[in-house]
């Protein structure tokens, strides 16, 4: 009887040990499964991260290219604007130089008109010929004035070295100091540029 009870206790003990072993093995399997899952998730996250950074790198390179092209476009626009301004300035300067050259050649003709009209007698001035010459002279002055050419005021004004060329000096108590007493030859300006200085006599 005692042997039978000892045998049963042994079987119970063995069954309990097997259950413990099975429980431990199950825990180990579950832990291994969890570890594998975590590793897989980690690998996926790493791959996803790499993919994200690759996309970001590609996006950054694209943005850099766009910025580079925009910079080139802005530089080209600035260069073209500078070229346009420089060209317009050069054209204006060329036009001004050409206009000055033509005006300088016309001024002696105006001088001759003035000398001829000044030499005409009162009787001749009443004639059709002199009156015709005077009309041509006035028309010429009007045409020059329309393009910006004007005579310089001299007689009775204060001497200005930027406008007048003094070739003589006189003492005259009736006139103030540095006053133009006589004009020998008219001077002309084109816009704000002196084409020819007035040739004058200055008092005191």
């Amino acid at each position: 009887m005692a042997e039978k009870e000892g045998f049963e206790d042994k079987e119970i003990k063995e069954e309990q040990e097997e259950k413990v072993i099975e429980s431990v093995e199950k825990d180990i399997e579950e832990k291994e499964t969890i570890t594998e899952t975590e590793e897989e998730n980690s690998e996926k996250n790493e791959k996803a991260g790499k993919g994200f950074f690759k996309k970001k790198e590609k996006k950054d390179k694209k943005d850099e290219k766009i910025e580079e092209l925009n910079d080139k476009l802005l530089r080209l626009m600035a260069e073209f604007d500078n070229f346009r301004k420089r060209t317009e300035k050069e054209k204006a300067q060329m036009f001004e130089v050409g206009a000055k050259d033509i005006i300088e050649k016309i001024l002696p003709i105006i001088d001759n008109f003035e000398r001829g009209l000044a030499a005409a007698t009162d009787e001749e001035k009443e004639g059709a010929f002199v009156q015709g010459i005077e009309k041509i002279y006035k028309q010429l002055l009007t045409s020059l004035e329309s393009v910006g050419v004007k005579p310089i005021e001299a007689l009775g004004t204060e001497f200005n070295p930027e406008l007048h060329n003094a070739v003589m000096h006189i003492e005259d108590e009736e006139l103030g100091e540095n006053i133009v007493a006589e004009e020998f030859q008219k001077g002309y300006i084109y816009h704000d540029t002196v084409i020819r200085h007035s040739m004058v006599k200055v008092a005191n």
Side-chain angles (χ1 to χ4, degrees):
M1 188 73 175
E3 290 179 359
K4 187 176 180 181
E5 288 176 357
F7 180 75
E8 288 177 355
D9 291 339
K10 187 177 181 183
E11 285 182 350
I12 292 170
K13 189 177 181 181
E14 288 177 354
E15 286 178 2
Q16 289 176 345
E17 288 178 354
E18 287 177 358
K19 287 181 180 180
V20 171
I21 291 169
E22 287 178 0
S23 177
V24 172
E25 288 178 349
K26 189 176 181 181
D27 289 341
I28 292 171
E29 287 178 0
E30 288 178 356
K31 288 182 179 179
E32 288 178 351
T33 303
I34 292 170
T35 304
E36 289 176 357
T37 304
E38 289 177 349
E39 289 178 354
E40 289 177 359
N41 290 335
S42 178
E43 288 179 359
K44 287 180 180 178
N45 291 333
E46 188 177 353
K47 288 179 180 179
K50 287 181 179 178
F52 172 76
F53 286 116
K54 284 181 179 178
K55 288 180 180 178
K56 192 173 181 181
E57 286 177 2
K58 288 181 180 177
K59 187 176 180 181
D60 289 343
K61 287 181 180 178
K62 185 178 179 181
D63 290 341
E64 287 176 2
K65 189 65 177 178
I66 291 171
E67 289 177 1
E68 183 182 350
L69 292 173
N70 283 335
D71 186 56
K72 286 182 179 179
L73 178 62
L74 291 173
R75 283 202 304 269
L76 286 172
M77 289 176 66
E79 287 176 4
F80 177 76
D81 189 53
N82 291 333
F83 170 76
R84 180 180 58 79
K85 289 178 181 178
R86 186 171 62 252
T87 303
E88 288 178 356
K89 186 177 180 181
E90 289 175 354
K91 285 171 68 177
Q93 289 176 345
M94 289 175 65
F95 178 79
E96 190 172 345
V97 170
K100 285 180 182 178
D101 186 54
I102 293 171
I103 294 165
E104 287 175 353
K105 291 178 179 178
I106 291 175
L107 292 183
I109 299 173
I110 294 174
D111 295 338
N112 289 332
F113 270 110
E114 291 174 349
R115 291 190 190 99
L117 292 171
T121 63
D122 293 337
E123 186 179 346
E124 289 174 339
K125 288 178 181 179
E126 297 295 329
F129 178 75
V130 175
Q131 288 182 359
I133 295 297
E134 188 173 5
K135 287 181 180 179
I136 295 171
Y137 166 71
K138 288 180 179 179
Q139 185 179 7
L140 183 57
L141 289 179
T142 302
S143 298
L144 288 173
E145 189 173 353
S146 67
V147 296
V149 180
K150 295 180 181 180
I152 296 172
E153 293 185 10
L155 190 61
T157 64
E158 186 177 357
F159 175 75
N160 184 349
E162 293 182 357
L163 301 175
H164 309 137
N165 180 21
V167 293
M168 288 182 65
H169 285 80
I170 61 167
E171 296 292 335
D172 192 334
E173 295 180 356
E174 294 181 0
L175 296 175
E177 188 175 355
N178 278 341
I179 299 298
V180 176
E182 187 177 350
E183 183 181 51
F184 299 116
Q185 187 181 58
K186 279 186 180 180
Y188 291 88
I189 57 173
Y190 174 61
H191 296 301
D192 295 327
T193 304
V194 176
I195 301 296
R196 186 176 73 183
H197 291 75
S198 299
M199 191 180 297
V200 296
K201 181 196 294 184
V202 181
N204 307 318

